[in-house]
């Protein structure tokens, strides 16, 4: 049962897309399990740059099947545009795409509500990607969402949309927005449904069959551990479950169907949007990391907040995801920083907190404790193996492994497929 979950072990944008692409050609099935087009996964290959938001990054491999899992939030308009864009850019046949009938559909009223709710939050805004993701998952929990399986049945869709829109229009008016027209949404979205109906089929049975056949199945996470609705820095989180447990909920498998979990982390930390970030560097070094790493959001273009690697958080991510191994990315970006710091403890009132903060008040009081390590000036982006790396880089990697009690499986030293060093293949497919 070689099945592998790839999760973000920080606040998103750890380079999950690149890693899924690198391993995707070995997989029969690549399944995305949570989030929607709030995600932006960049894959650079053959001189072309792909930005995936809804499509699993495995779609570039014609031999594999890509699944949009039931845990996802799918904007059909973006999906169709993304499919067309990817097809055109690739210039070759893409892998087969299957959409779960259980996936929920994002509508224009979700996007409108995302903006209205952010305005209503005022100074406490979350800094969402404004893709309507939060309001869509709210509908799911409120048992009001429209699922793909209903969306592609014209009469059922009309009934559901009528019922939901009446409620949403009242809500939008309450928040100072304009009501939306049933006829306009129905006619625009019915056309989208016509275009994707043939892709909607029982993805759960397909995934379970592959698992039973011992196919290689790769579960592609979006977002990151600390954006998880339950495990993240609540309320500054997304509304889904990016952690490895989400791979079960969002695809129709059980925990014993997962063999390995790889947690992707940068050699430092970044975060987009608001919320706690104890190792943030609001100074020249933060600026240097942002510029050397081109740290601007794939989805929204916002500058990412940058900071030192937070090992307290990373160790926690290793535990909540039961990580088999780490994928440490963007090591090349740390070039020419004379001294590197890593957070090894959280203090509150001068005492070690001993756990991850549960409340914003606790997060506000947290003071990170740092250890300092020597940096490196060498360009490591062409290294082919562990032995090609300077000792300073090796020591940095080993310090991370030891502190988190998690071995490094893969190192990434540049955005290209080739700039990848596989250290422990046994941690990937078992
Ligand atoms: P994701 O959301 O986790 O898939 O990550 P994003 O695609 O949003 O952001 C990661 C960025 O880092 C992308 O622009 C990648 O092309 C780039 N990237 C991936 N791995 C590396 C690496 O090892 N070094 C550098 N410099 N860039 C990388
Ligand atoms: P990938 O998959 C980084 C952040 C937003 C915001 C919070 C809530 O590319 O790693 P939402 O629109 O989800 O309600 O916003 O979550 N966020 C991400 N940050 N990478 C992502 O995805 C993100 N998806 C959501 O910036 O802080
Ligand atoms: Mg991203």
């Amino acid at each position: 049962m070689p099945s592998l979950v790839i999760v973000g072990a920080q606040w998103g944008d750890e380079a999950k897309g690149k890693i899924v692409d690198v391993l995707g050609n070995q997989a029969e099935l690549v399944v995305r399990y949570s989030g929607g087009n709030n995600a932006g996964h960049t894959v650079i290959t053959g001189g072309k740059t792909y930005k995936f938001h809804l499509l699993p990054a495995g779609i570039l491999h014609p031999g594999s099947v890509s699944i949009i899992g039931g845990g996802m939030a799918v904007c059909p308009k973006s999906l169709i545009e993304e499919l067309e864009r990817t097809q055109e850019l690739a210039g070759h046949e893409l892998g087969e795409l299957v959409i779960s009938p259980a996936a929920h559909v994002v509508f224009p009223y979700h996007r409108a509500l995302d903006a209205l709710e952010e305005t209503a939050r005022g100074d406490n805004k979350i800094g969402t990607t404004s893709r309507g993701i939060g309001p869509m998952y709210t509908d799911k929990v409120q048992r009001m969402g429209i699922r793909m399986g209903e969306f592609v049945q014209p009469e059922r869709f009309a009934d559901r949309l009528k019922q939901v829109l009446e409620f949403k229009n009242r809500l939008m008016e309450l928040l100072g927005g304009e009501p939306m027209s049933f006829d306009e949404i129905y006619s625009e979205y019915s056309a989208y449904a016509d275009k994707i109906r043939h892709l909607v089929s029982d993805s759960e049975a397909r995934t379970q069959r592959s698992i039973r056949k011992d196919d290689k199945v790769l579960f592609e996470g979006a977002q990151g551990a600390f954006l998880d609705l339950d495990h993240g820095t609540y309320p500054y989180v997304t509304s889904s479950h990016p952690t490895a447990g989400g791979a079960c909920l969002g695809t129709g498998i059980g925990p014993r169907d997962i063999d390995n979990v790889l947690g992707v982390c940068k050699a430092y930390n970044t975060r987009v949007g608001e919320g706690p970030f104890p190792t943030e560097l609001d100074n020249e070094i933060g600026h240097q990391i942002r510029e050397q790493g081109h740290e601007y959001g794939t989805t929204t273009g916002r500058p990412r907040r940058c900071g030192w690697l937070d090992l307290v958080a990373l160790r926690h991510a290793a535990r909540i995801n039961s990580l088999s191994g780490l994928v440490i990315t963007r090591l090349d970006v740390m070039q020419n920083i004379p001294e590197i710091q890593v957070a090894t403890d959280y203090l509150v009132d001068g005492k070690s907190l001993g756990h991850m903060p549960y409340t914003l008040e606790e997060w506000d009081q947290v003071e990170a404790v740092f250890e300092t390590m020597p940096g490196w000036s060498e360009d490591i982006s062409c290294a082919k193996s562990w032995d090609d790396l300077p000792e300073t880089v090796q020591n940095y990697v080993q310090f991370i492994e030891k502190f988190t009690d998690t071995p490094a499986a893969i190192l990434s030293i540049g955005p290209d497929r080739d700039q990848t060093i596989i250290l422990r293949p046994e941690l990937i497919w078992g």
Side-chain angles (χ1 to χ4, degrees):
M1 268 199 317
S3 67
L4 169 69
V5 183
I6 303 277
V7 291
Q10 295 164 325
W11 275 282
D13 300 328
E14 300 91 345
K16 300 173 291 293
K18 171 187 161 165
I19 301 306
V20 172
D21 173 63
V22 166
L23 301 176
N25 66 345
Q26 302 160 16
E28 272 89 7
L29 221 59
V30 179
V31 192
R32 243 194 77 183
Y33 60 84
S34 75
N37 59 347
N38 48 351
H41 298 176
T42 315
V43 171
I44 301 179
T45 177
K48 296 175 184 172
T49 300
Y50 299 85
K51 291 180 189 296
F52 296 114
H53 300 284
L54 285 162
L55 291 176
I59 195 92
L60 291 177
H61 304 294
S64 78
V65 178
S66 285
I67 291 183
I68 290 184
M72 284 187 68
V74 184
C75 167
K77 183 174 194 258
S78 311
L79 176 64
I80 292 162
E81 284 168 6
E82 193 176 325
L83 258 174
E84 289 172 356
R85 203 173 50 237
T86 308
Q87 182 72 73
E88 198 179 318
L89 184 59
H92 62 71
E93 196 195 333
L94 300 177
E96 184 187 345
L97 179 67
V98 177
I99 307 172
S100 167
H104 280 246
V105 183
V106 179
F107 290 102
Y109 50 82
H110 292 126
R111 280 188 294 279
L113 279 165
D114 203 344
L116 291 168
E117 287 171 11
E118 280 285 79
T119 306
R121 286 184 192 110
D123 288 346
N124 299 319
K125 75 174 178 11
I126 290 168
T128 71
T129 58
S130 39
R131 299 295 188 271
I133 303 300
M136 193 234 74
Y137 281 110
T138 303
D139 279 8
K140 175 172 173 172
V141 174
Q142 206 173 6
R143 293 156 294 182
M144 195 181 262
I146 300 176
R147 289 170 137 196
M148 271 293 166
E150 299 176 311
F151 175 58
V152 296
Q153 296 178 48
E155 283 176 18
R156 184 80 187 127
F157 173 40
D159 285 351
R160 291 299 328 281
L161 184 65
K162 239 177 238 148
Q163 175 204 344
V164 176
L165 191 60
E166 208 183 300
F167 188 96
K168 295 289 150 185
N169 276 341
R170 277 196 256 161
L171 188 60
M172 284 191 287
E173 283 182 290
L174 191 72
L175 290 169
E178 295 292 320
M180 293 187 173
S181 141
F182 169 84
D183 289 341
E184 276 176 28
I185 300 181
Y186 186 72
S187 87
E188 182 184 348
Y189 278 69
S190 292
Y192 300 145
D194 289 344
K195 285 196 172 171
I196 59 173
R197 185 170 293 110
H198 66 290
L199 301 174
V200 179
S201 74
D202 186 356
S203 62
E204 295 195 356
R206 186 128 187 198
T207 309
Q208 289 161 2
R209 246 193 336 267
S210 273
I211 296 256
R212 297 293 155 249
K213 276 198 328 195
D214 274 355
D215 285 348
K216 286 192 170 120
V217 181
L218 196 159
F219 296 95
E220 174 179 350
Q223 288 81 49
F226 299 104
L227 290 172
D228 187 282
L229 184 58
D230 285 319
H231 293 291
T233 48
Y234 191 87
Y236 295 98
V237 293
T238 191
S239 303
S240 64
H241 295 289
T243 40
C248 293
L249 298 174
T251 67
I253 58 153
R256 290 197 301 127
D257 292 327
I258 297 173
D259 293 313
N260 284 325
V261 183
L262 291 182
V264 187
C265 64
K266 294 182 189 185
Y268 48 94
N269 267 91
T270 62
R271 165 160 216 171
V272 223
E274 309 300 319
F277 186 178
T279 63
E280 184 165 11
L281 286 166
D282 195 8
N283 60 14
E284 201 38 52
I285 298 178
H287 179 76
Q288 184 183 348
I289 295 177
R290 183 176 309 113
E291 294 314 309
Q292 286 183 189
H294 309 290
E295 288 290 4
Y296 294 87
T298 308
T299 299
T300 57
R302 289 179 290 177
R304 295 175 182 147
R305 299 157 62 192
C306 298
W308 296 124
L309 180 63
D310 185 340
L311 286 178
V312 181
L314 188 60
R315 181 175 57 193
H316 189 67
R319 292 173 183 167
I320 57 178
N321 287 293
S322 63
L323 295 186
S324 331
L326 289 171
V327 179
I328 307 175
T329 68
R330 293 183 149 257
L331 278 158
D332 54 302
V333 173
M334 298 298 268
Q335 186 184 1
N336 288 330
I337 298 177
E339 286 191 327
I340 298 178
Q341 300 197 344
V342 286
T344 51
D345 203 359
Y346 285 175
L347 299 187
V348 170
D349 291 334
K351 285 198 206 101
S352 178
L353 185 61
H355 62 81
M356 288 299 279
Y358 285 101
T359 60
L360 282 183
E361 286 70 25
E362 262 181 337
W363 275 112
D364 277 349
Q365 291 163 25
V366 157
E367 212 183 301
V369 179
F370 292 98
E371 280 202 32
T372 304
M373 307 183 63
W376 56 87
S377 56
E378 295 92 332
D379 176 358
I380 58 168
S381 61
C382 295
K384 295 285 170 221
S385 70
W386 175 256
D387 292 336
D388 290 342
L389 295 171
E391 209 182 328
T392 36
V393 179
Q394 294 179 344
N395 288 341
Y396 189 58
V397 170
Q398 283 169 340
F399 191 90
I400 298 170
E401 292 179 300
K402 192 155 180 249
F403 191 92
T404 57
D405 197 19
T406 312
I410 300 175
L411 304 180
S412 172
I413 44 161
D416 212 82
R417 264 185 203 172
D418 298 338
Q419 293 173 298
T420 311
I421 300 174
I422 309 274
L423 293 181
R424 294 185 175 88
E426 69 280 9
L427 295 179
I428 301 173
W429 296 111

